[in-house]
Amino acid sequence: MLLSPRYRFLFVHIAKTGGTSVRAALQGLRWRDPWYYPMFLCSRMSHLSGHRIGTKLPRHAKAVLAQELLPRPFYDSLFKFAFVRNPWDLQVSSFHHIRRERPHYLGGHQEFADFLRWKLDPERPYQYHVDTSITRQSDYLVDLHGEVIVDFIGRYEQLHDDFATVCARIGITPPALPHARKATDRKRDYRSYYDDDTAELVARHFARDIELLDYRFDPD
């Protein structure tokens, strides 16, 4: 999550949706934000003292957390945005990310289908690096009553265009959007990773995302 009091925006960072690139592009704004320095100092003092006072919002926090922690008039005044991604494509991306950077979290499964079934098994013990990517994207966007509380939902599939829209709303010239963590070890078409059973497994688990965000296995 990235909060800028000066530019009046809150970026809700959903894992594996291009958020690292968005953060990298917008990070430079913090040096122009006079609120960044006291926020950073308070965060460091909080960390060093052992008394966590909530001065820094977690990287992958949900919008409802900010809504509950921040004064409501301030939260309402922010331009709140997030990016989402086709759930089937997101799971392929997550598999390759874990296999490439944290293979010890694969649970001993080297094939995508085996890993996916294990990953979505409700009896599997929780593991942050695995479970972050199966948290429903809609959960990041809604309040405690299930109502959407962000102002703009961009799509990974049109990241550059939607990022330009975000920058226009913030009131800045769009900075370069780097392709952070670009994968070179996966097939381009996510559909080739699935059979009918595994595609249905994702459809069931992410039914709320598919309905709210209007995604399909075959986008054509």
Side-chain angles (χ1 to χ4, degrees):
M1 190 169 278
L2 189 63
L3 170 65
S4 174
R6 176 180 178 180
Y7 292 94
R8 311 296 286 187
F9 73 78
L10 179 72
F11 170 47
V12 180
H13 184 175
I14 302 173
K16 307 307 297 174
T17 62
T20 300
S21 296
V22 172
R23 287 180 64 92
L26 296 177
Q27 285 282 23
L29 296 179
R30 61 184 182 175
W31 306 116
R32 307 178 215 166
D33 192 335
W35 286 100
Y36 169 73
Y37 302 96
M39 289 168 62
F40 175 79
L41 181 61
C42 287
S43 177
R44 291 304 300 164
M45 291 178 64
S46 171
H47 178 75
L48 293 172
S49 69
H51 296 285
R52 303 301 177 90
I53 59 176
T55 55
K56 184 177 181 181
L57 296 167
R59 183 182 185 92
H60 293 301
K62 299 176 176 66
V64 68
L65 174 68
Q67 186 188 57
E68 293 295 314
L69 286 178
L70 298 172
R72 184 57 61 87
F74 178 67
Y75 178 85
D76 290 342
S77 73
L78 298 171
F79 171 58
K80 301 165 288 290
F81 67 96
F83 284 85
V84 296
R85 186 173 187 171
N86 182 301
W88 291 277
D89 185 34
L90 190 151
Q91 292 311 306
V92 173
S93 176
S94 172
F95 168 68
H96 281 281
H97 172 77
I98 294 173
R99 190 171 71 172
R100 184 174 61 251
E101 299 191 14
R102 295 183 174 91
H104 49 292
Y105 290 134
L106 287 173
H109 304 285
Q110 297 301 315
E111 299 300 323
F112 173 74
D114 295 335
F115 175 68
L116 182 66
R117 292 188 182 93
W118 172 77
K119 185 181 187 182
L120 294 178
D121 182 352
E123 301 300 319
R124 174 183 56 78
Y126 175 84
Q127 207 299 314
Y128 173 80
H129 295 290
V130 175
D131 285 76
T132 299
S133 61
I134 60 171
T135 301
R136 292 165 183 82
Q137 297 174 75
S138 53
D139 290 350
Y140 287 88
L141 310 174
V142 300
D143 63 13
L144 298 175
H145 305 288
E147 299 296 324
V148 174
I149 54 171
V150 298
D151 304 303
F152 179 77
I153 301 174
R155 294 181 181 267
Y156 176 86
E157 295 79 16
Q158 52 192 47
L159 183 62
H160 285 81
D161 289 344
D162 285 349
F163 181 65
T165 299
V166 164
C167 292
R169 293 285 298 272
I170 293 172
I172 63 170
T173 301
L177 188 62
H179 197 156
R181 298 182 176 178
K182 183 177 181 179
T184 59
D185 57 348
R186 58 161 290 180
K187 299 173 186 176
R188 188 174 184 86
D189 188 348
Y190 64 84
R191 292 171 295 184
S192 65
Y193 287 80
Y194 290 90
D195 57 24
D196 290 345
D197 290 339
T198 51
E200 179 59 25
L201 191 62
V202 171
R204 288 198 303 270
H205 183 83
F206 295 100
R208 172 60 174 154
D209 289 356
I210 292 164
E211 177 186 6
L212 178 67
L213 305 173
D214 195 27
Y215 276 114
R216 299 291 181 269
F217 181 71
D218 291 302
D220 299 329

